[in-house]
Amino acid sequence: MATDIVAELADSLARTGVEDGELSYKGQGRKLDDAQSAEEIVKDIEEFEGLQALRMEGNTVGVEAAQAIAKALETKSDFKRCYWSDMFTGRLRAEIPPALNSLGDALMLAGARLTVLDLSDNAFGPDGVKGIEKLLKSTACFTLQELRLNNCGMGIGGGKILAASLIQCHKQSSEKNEPLSLKVFVAGRNRLENDGATALAQAFQLMGSLEEVHMPQNGINHPGVTALASAMQHNPRLRILNLNDNTFTEKGAVAMAQALKHLHGIQVINFGDCLVRPEGAKAIAESVSEGLPILKELNLSYGEITADAALAVVEAVKNKDQLEKLDLNGNYLGEDGCKAVKDCMEGVNMISLLGSLSDDEGEPEDDEDEDEEDNDEDDEEDDDDDDEDDVDEEEIEEEEEEEENSSSNNNKPSTPVSAPRPPDVSSFLSFPSPDKLLKLGAKRALLVQQQVDVTDARKTAEAFLKIASVYKEENDDVKNAVLDTIDALLSNAFSTPSFQGYSFVSILLVLLGLIKSEDKIKPVVVVPGHLHALEHVVRQDYFPKENVAVLEAFMSRSNKSLESCGNARIGLQSTLQRVRSQS
């Protein structure tokens, strides 16, 4: 009998993955709709003495199930770590805040002192942040060290709520002589934009304890980047700074370069896809050269950096004996520039640390036109900054565009163009945002059609993904604007005799990271909007039904690029199956 008990215990431990006070149901795909379906988990929690961590990643928890689990947590005073990412797949957004409120209330009642709170990949939006607002302000979070909210769709509003909660937590914990000392902050892919980033920067500056900051792909422009740069200076223990795929421009890059001079312990800098441009790269190189003795990784890829700026970066890192990787791919080096960079790295025995340069864009062609555009943008922003410092870059652009519609604005220099190219359409396609799309007005679909060469399958696919990236399920105006614009673009494309529909689908799969291309096309970071828009497209008459099976085959495969799009992926797969069965 003793043997049976031991075997049963071993089986239980293997099933739940118990380790160091941790109870794990990670990746089990459980559908917990009510208290009855959560009975086993509740029983395990109640019987677990000294429970410190609960892993619920990869399951789906409804309100009633969350309330039952919360009840079991109310007595767990040793509880420290919440691993609750990807925990609401298939749930209505309205279900998530009450579920989070129940769990948070239980942790507060238990007297828990959290060190890790991970709610990534839950797509709960601003309302979800409200669901953890009370918890974040409570004594349970005075000891919080890691806050992970990657890919939650917080938006500007959620970012502001989060920032205010952290500031309040720091204030109250400081009054108790135990100030909040957050070490790791992760909030990539949340569309925080300038206002959300600026609000969070205030919290970062106040805490001054950060060691890792990950905020990639948030639509942050130079005002938000500058605010973050100022905040980073007050976090001297910072080791990792990842702001990949935001838009620094020279202004933001120079501000961030100044911040780096204060961060002597930084090890990883990821400013890839940040459009730092030559002068920004040179400023960063100067800061690297003057300090950063333990730098391990520097990513300045896809930043429109020219050869001279890249060589300045290489010169700056040549004495960094702990360097492990330098990424300068996808810039404007040209063949001679690539060779010069490689030669310099080889000359200091660091060629093995240089990443690939296979995606180099060649030497820039329209330097003068681009410089004029940059100067025009800077002049406009400087004029508006004099009137109101807090106005963000997008608002400035929109105000300028409204002024252009109401007057000739003859005193503003213009960039020579070969065909009508409305600056607002160009701005949207370069740096998409929901506001910019709505600002195009009722004729947005026609304007976008005029801008995109629908005879080119790649350009059409790229335009589709840019438009779809701003899709918002919870905002009917934005959602309708996205779908109407996409319908106009693709119906025009598929009705054009020279348009190759199969090429369009193939390139789309490459851009989504589902297949590899010999042309070295750089995939985009897939967001739920891409899949929601595609789900709409495959239902339309203009979309060739013979391509549905191709899409279905690739969408059904396991792929990391789609992992963060749980609900959207499930919806698309279901629609593809239905459309195929009906055709």
Side-chain angles (χ1 to χ4, degrees):
M1 178 166 303
T3 303
D4 292 340
I5 294 173
V6 171
E8 184 180 343
L9 178 60
D11 181 65
S12 177
L13 289 172
R15 185 180 71 253
T16 58
V18 176
E19 181 180 355
D20 295 334
E22 181 178 288
L23 189 57
S24 177
Y25 302 92
K26 182 178 179 179
Q28 295 187 10
R30 299 190 183 210
K31 194 170 187 294
L32 308 172
D33 295 324
D34 49 33
Q36 183 176 358
S37 60
E39 278 182 354
E40 180 186 349
I41 295 176
V42 169
K43 184 173 181 292
D44 288 342
I45 292 172
E46 289 175 342
E47 295 179 352
F48 197 122
E49 294 294 331
L51 180 65
Q52 296 182 22
L54 177 62
R55 286 191 173 274
M56 294 295 296
E57 307 104 306
N59 298 284
T60 176
V61 182
V63 176
E64 291 183 18
Q67 290 171 343
I69 292 170
K71 185 69 176 176
L73 288 171
E74 288 180 357
T75 59
K76 303 301 175 181
S77 59
D78 295 327
F79 198 82
K80 296 179 180 179
R81 303 186 301 278
C82 307
Y83 298 107
W84 297 345
S85 64
D86 190 21
M87 196 173 74
F88 298 108
T89 300
R91 298 293 168 185
L92 296 174
R93 181 166 289 187
E95 293 182 80
I96 302 176
L100 289 173
N101 268 317
S102 297
L103 293 166
D105 288 347
L107 296 178
M108 288 186 283
L109 184 61
R113 305 287 278 183
L114 297 184
T115 57
V116 178
L117 178 58
D118 185 355
L119 289 165
S120 297
D121 301 321
N122 279 312
F124 47 48
D127 289 341
V129 185
K130 293 178 182 177
I132 58 172
E133 184 178 7
K134 185 163 59 170
L135 173 65
L136 287 172
K137 293 178 179 179
S138 73
T139 56
C141 285
F142 284 6
T143 49
L144 194 63
Q145 295 182 11
E146 298 183 20
L147 179 58
R148 299 177 183 271
L149 297 168
N150 201 58
N151 191 35
C152 287
M154 289 190 289
I156 294 172
K160 288 182 174 180
I161 295 169
L162 177 61
S165 300
L166 292 174
I167 290 171
Q168 184 67 16
C169 182
H170 184 270
K171 178 183 177 182
Q172 293 180 351
S173 59
S174 296
E175 291 173 354
K176 301 288 186 180
N177 293 319
E178 46 180 333
L180 172 64
S181 299
L182 195 67
K183 293 180 179 179
V184 178
F185 180 83
V186 182
R189 301 172 68 175
N190 272 291
R191 296 303 303 175
L192 294 170
E193 302 186 15
N194 289 330
D195 286 354
T198 300
L200 285 166
Q202 296 175 8
F204 297 164
Q205 182 167 328
L206 192 63
M207 290 185 292
S209 55
L210 289 167
E211 297 179 9
E212 295 184 26
V213 174
H214 302 264
M215 297 175 66
Q217 199 186 13
N218 270 297
I220 307 171
N221 299 324
H222 82 75
V225 172
T226 301
L228 288 172
S230 177
M232 292 306 109
Q233 296 183 35
H234 297 270
N235 287 266
R237 293 190 291 275
L238 193 69
R239 295 182 295 104
I240 299 174
L241 181 56
N242 176 8
L243 295 175
N244 187 281
D245 202 7
N246 290 290
T247 308
F248 284 31
T249 66
E250 181 182 320
K251 282 186 175 181
V254 169
M256 197 58 73
Q258 289 299 314
L260 291 177
K261 293 181 178 181
H262 299 265
L263 303 175
H264 304 295
I266 200 160
Q267 298 177 16
V268 178
I269 299 172
N270 187 344
F271 296 161
D273 269 327
C274 285
L275 209 67
V276 299
R277 293 183 174 153
E279 293 307 311
K282 290 177 183 178
I284 291 170
E286 180 182 341
S287 296
V288 171
S289 178
E290 293 176 356
L292 316 193
I294 58 174
L295 183 66
K296 292 183 177 180
E297 294 184 22
L298 176 59
N299 184 348
L300 295 176
S301 59
Y302 302 95
E304 295 190 358
I305 298 171
T306 51
D308 60 329
L311 289 170
V313 174
V314 170
E315 179 69 19
V317 301
K318 69 180 185 181
N319 293 320
K320 305 302 171 188
D321 56 11
Q322 295 192 36
L323 190 72
E324 296 175 359
K325 184 177 181 181
L326 172 63
D327 193 345
L328 293 170
N329 201 15
N331 284 300
Y332 289 157
L333 309 188
E335 186 176 345
D336 291 340
C338 288
K339 184 177 184 303
V341 166
K342 290 177 181 178
D343 288 346
C344 288
M345 290 293 283
E346 190 164 13
V348 292
N349 294 320
M350 299 176 78
I351 188 64
S352 63
L353 310 183
L354 179 65
S356 169
L357 298 177
S358 59
D359 287 350
D360 187 72
E361 298 285 349
E363 296 181 10
E365 295 179 358
D366 299 322
D367 287 340
E368 292 182 4
D369 289 357
E370 290 176 6
D371 288 343
E372 287 184 30
E373 289 178 359
D374 291 346
N375 291 336
D376 293 349
E377 182 181 318
D378 290 346
D379 290 343
E380 293 161 18
E381 291 169 358
D382 288 342
D383 290 340
D384 280 15
D385 285 345
D386 291 339
D387 297 330
E388 182 175 286
D389 292 335
D390 293 332
V391 177
D392 73 325
E393 185 177 84
E394 288 186 5
E395 292 172 339
I396 293 170
E397 289 176 358
E398 292 160 3
E399 290 170 5
E400 292 292 338
E401 289 160 11
E402 290 173 359
E403 290 174 7
E404 287 174 2
N405 292 334
S406 61
S407 67
S408 61
N409 202 14
N410 291 328
N411 62 337
K412 178 184 173 185
S414 61
T415 303
V417 290
S418 57
R421 189 177 175 86
D424 47 356
V425 179
S426 177
S427 173
F428 168 72
L429 289 175
S430 297
F431 305 107
S433 75
D435 287 341
K436 286 183 181 179
L437 181 63
L438 294 177
K439 282 286 185 179
L440 295 180
K443 295 183 178 180
R444 65 178 67 88
L446 177 61
L447 292 172
V448 171
Q449 279 188 73
Q450 293 172 345
Q451 188 80 4
V452 179
D453 179 9
V454 295
T455 63
D456 188 317
R458 177 172 175 175
K459 290 180 179 178
T460 305
E462 289 173 342
F464 163 76
L465 291 176
K466 287 180 178 179
I467 298 165
S469 69
V470 306
Y471 179 100
K472 289 183 178 293
E473 183 69 24
E474 73 279 6
N475 188 320
D476 288 340
D477 290 340
V478 174
K479 179 168 67 174
N480 292 334
V482 167
L483 298 182
D484 290 347
T485 306
I486 285 173
D487 282 342
L489 175 68
L490 295 187
S491 61
N492 184 25
F494 282 108
S495 64
T496 300
S498 59
F499 184 72
Q500 297 180 333
Y502 186 79
S503 294
F504 168 82
V505 172
S506 298
I507 293 170
L508 192 62
L509 291 171
V510 171
L511 290 169
L512 291 172
L514 300 179
I515 58 177
K516 294 182 179 180
S517 168
E518 294 180 358
D519 296 330
K520 297 184 176 66
I521 298 175
K522 181 173 180 279
V524 302
V525 177
V526 183
V527 296
H530 291 144
L531 305 191
H532 283 304
L534 193 54
E535 180 185 359
H536 168 82
V537 167
V538 299
R539 295 198 302 263
Q540 307 310 307
D541 292 338
Y542 60 72
F543 188 79
K545 295 302 178 276
E546 62 265 26
N547 291 326
V548 170
V550 178
L551 287 173
E552 183 183 4
F554 282 96
M555 287 296 164
S556 63
R557 296 180 181 179
S558 177
N559 193 290
K560 288 185 178 180
S561 67
L562 302 180
E563 286 180 354
S564 61
C565 303
N567 293 347
R569 182 183 186 181
I570 292 170
L572 175 57
Q573 288 176 318
S574 175
T575 298
L576 287 168
Q577 291 171 359
R578 186 167 61 253
V579 172
R580 184 171 57 82
S581 65
Q582 293 172 352
S583 61

